[in-house]
Amino acid sequence: MFLKNRYESEELRVLKALNSRMDLLEKEKQYYSNLQKGFDGEVMFDGYLQRIVIQSLILNDLLLEQNHSHFQIDSLMISQSLTYLFEVKNFEGEYYFDGDTFKKINGTEVKNPLLQLERNLSLLRQLFNYIGFKISIEPYLVFVNPDFTLYNAPLNRRIILPTNLNRFIHQLNNNKSALNNQHSRLSEQLLSSHLTKSPFTKVPKYEYSQLRKGLFCHSCGTVLEEYSGRVFMCNNCSVKENTKSALIRSVKEFNLLYPLEKLSTNIVYEWCGGVFPKKTIRQVMKENFIISGYGQWSYYE
Ligand SMILES: [Zn+2]
């Protein structure tokens, strides 16, 4: 049973919005693309965990702190006698382990995910001790991308390769598991320890005047210009979106980037690059947000 679902982080959503509206530096683009890829991989793994049929509690995307160290858990599965700790990687291409280092086939060194898993395991154990739970933790490093190849794979049963994933889930389902109050208490404790604000975010500085105004495709980020009056169509990826949802999405995006700013019809009009008539903006905003103030001073909440 999934107790905590996964959503795109605020950082990822901000970077997505900024990527359409300003020219990110190459390293910022890379960071954004890695975040997106990581998220997509985790969602892919969620698809596998949905096939777990034994009694279990699954907590996704936990941000915890122990001993002044933050750590992020991709997926945690609590079963009767074991807690499974999953570190999910969506790497693509050919990699190998070289002693304690992890490298791409061309020799470029990449942060060793096994060390990251070790660190998470150690901090999670300390946290379990601290909150008084004595349940063993089994750590796994999961590579989900079917286009990932690992050469020279150490004989480490903690590493799950894409070709082992089905079998692994099958094995998990062969275990016996009956949960009791203790397990629910553990999951509640973890959920209440979850931090919502990440200390690691790397969002570039942005100013309203510098951001491109307009409506951008939610799928590929291209500016949306083709408008039939009811539906926008992306010239790049052919995705269609109706007026109302495109407008609400843009307003939410403004709110995400400028949570403290008041929203008026004029601001929304400008933010969307004038693609929506003000009459439409007023109507959609009235249906979906609360209006405060009067006349030209009215704003939406
Ligand atoms: Zn598109």
Side-chain angles (χ1 to χ4, degrees):
M1 182 168 70
F2 281 72
L3 280 188
K4 182 175 178 297
N5 289 323
R6 191 183 308 285
Y7 300 100
E8 288 185 339
S9 65
E10 184 174 318
E11 182 184 31
L12 177 54
R13 286 182 292 130
V14 167
L15 283 168
K16 193 177 197 170
L18 292 181
N19 187 42
S20 308
R21 294 181 180 271
M22 66 189 265
D23 298 319
L24 296 178
L25 300 174
E26 213 35 63
K27 62 171 189 190
E28 292 164 345
K29 272 190 198 157
Q30 193 56 50
Y31 180 67
Y32 162 55
S33 134
N34 286 346
L35 274 188
Q36 182 69 58
K37 239 181 145 184
F39 178 79
D40 294 344
E42 289 157 15
V43 169
M44 221 189 283
F45 184 58
D46 292 345
Y48 284 94
L49 287 185
Q50 268 157 9
R51 290 170 17 205
I52 295 290
V53 291
I54 56 166
Q55 276 192 25
S56 64
L57 301 170
I58 298 172
L59 304 165
N60 277 332
D61 202 12
L62 286 172
L63 178 63
L64 302 166
E65 188 183 356
Q66 179 61 24
N67 269 339
H68 310 289
S69 302
H70 288 85
F71 62 113
Q72 173 107 35
I73 291 177
D74 293 338
S75 288
L76 195 74
M77 181 178 132
I78 302 171
S79 72
Q80 182 180 332
S81 53
L82 278 178
T83 293
Y84 298 88
L85 167 66
F86 299 113
E87 176 68 36
V88 181
K89 294 291 176 209
N90 189 10
F91 294 159
E92 209 178 318
E94 300 166 303
Y95 290 77
Y96 64 99
F97 277 101
D98 182 6
D100 261 351
T101 57
F102 186 58
K103 291 178 175 169
K104 285 187 184 171
I105 199 74
N106 63 11
T108 320
E109 191 173 337
V110 182
K111 221 162 127 187
N112 185 343
L114 275 176
L115 296 183
Q116 197 182 342
L117 183 65
E118 278 300 318
R119 177 183 181 270
N120 281 357
L121 173 65
S122 156
L123 289 165
L124 187 64
R125 256 197 212 123
Q126 294 172 42
L127 180 67
F128 274 23
N129 264 333
Y130 179 74
I131 54 181
F133 284 91
K134 291 202 171 34
I135 178 168
S136 317
I137 307 170
E138 271 201 3
Y140 287 97
L141 171 62
V142 186
F143 293 100
V144 280
N145 198 309
D147 293 323
F148 172 80
T149 308
L150 183 63
Y151 292 110
N152 216 347
L155 276 179
N156 186 333
R157 62 183 198 92
R158 303 286 183 225
I159 298 178
I160 309 296
L161 297 172
T163 43
N164 299 138
L165 258 165
N166 282 324
R167 201 169 347 162
F168 178 66
I169 296 294
H170 185 71
Q171 278 166 4
L172 289 182
N173 276 332
N174 276 338
N175 294 322
K176 292 225 159 18
S177 175
L179 300 183
N180 58 35
N181 282 342
Q182 279 283 86
H183 301 100
S184 321
R185 278 212 306 124
L186 172 60
S187 67
E188 280 159 22
Q189 284 268 15
L190 290 170
L191 282 176
S192 65
S193 311
H194 170 68
L195 307 168
T196 45
K197 272 269 176 232
S198 167
F200 311 119
T201 56
K202 282 191 229 159
V203 168
K205 286 208 177 348
Y206 52 93
E207 266 185 55
Y208 183 79
S209 61
Q210 293 169 332
L211 297 184
R212 284 190 275 273
K213 313 299 184 287
L215 179 63
F216 302 89
C217 174
H218 63 89
S219 177
C220 73
T222 307
V223 67
L224 294 176
E225 288 162 326
E226 208 164 302
Y227 183 44
S228 72
R230 265 224 183 105
V231 175
F232 284 91
M233 197 177 85
C234 176
N235 283 331
N236 183 44
C237 73
S238 304
V239 155
K240 287 181 184 159
E241 190 176 20
N242 76 49
T243 309
K244 205 166 138 182
S245 87
L247 179 53
I248 293 174
R249 182 170 61 80
S250 299
V251 169
K252 286 189 172 158
E253 193 184 271
F254 180 86
N255 239 318
L256 173 72
L257 297 178
Y258 299 100
L260 302 174
E261 288 292 319
K262 283 179 179 171
L263 266 171
S264 65
T265 303
N266 284 336
I267 286 181
V268 177
Y269 180 79
E270 188 182 276
W271 180 243
C272 299
V275 290
F276 301 106
K278 288 191 182 174
K279 198 178 143 208
T280 309
I281 296 176
R282 255 179 236 117
Q283 198 185 332
V284 173
M285 295 297 283
K286 214 165 83 185
E287 286 167 16
N288 296 279
F289 299 85
I290 299 164
I291 306 178
S292 298
Y294 291 99
Q296 57 174 312
W297 289 285
S298 63
Y299 60 90
Y300 306 97
E301 292 179 288

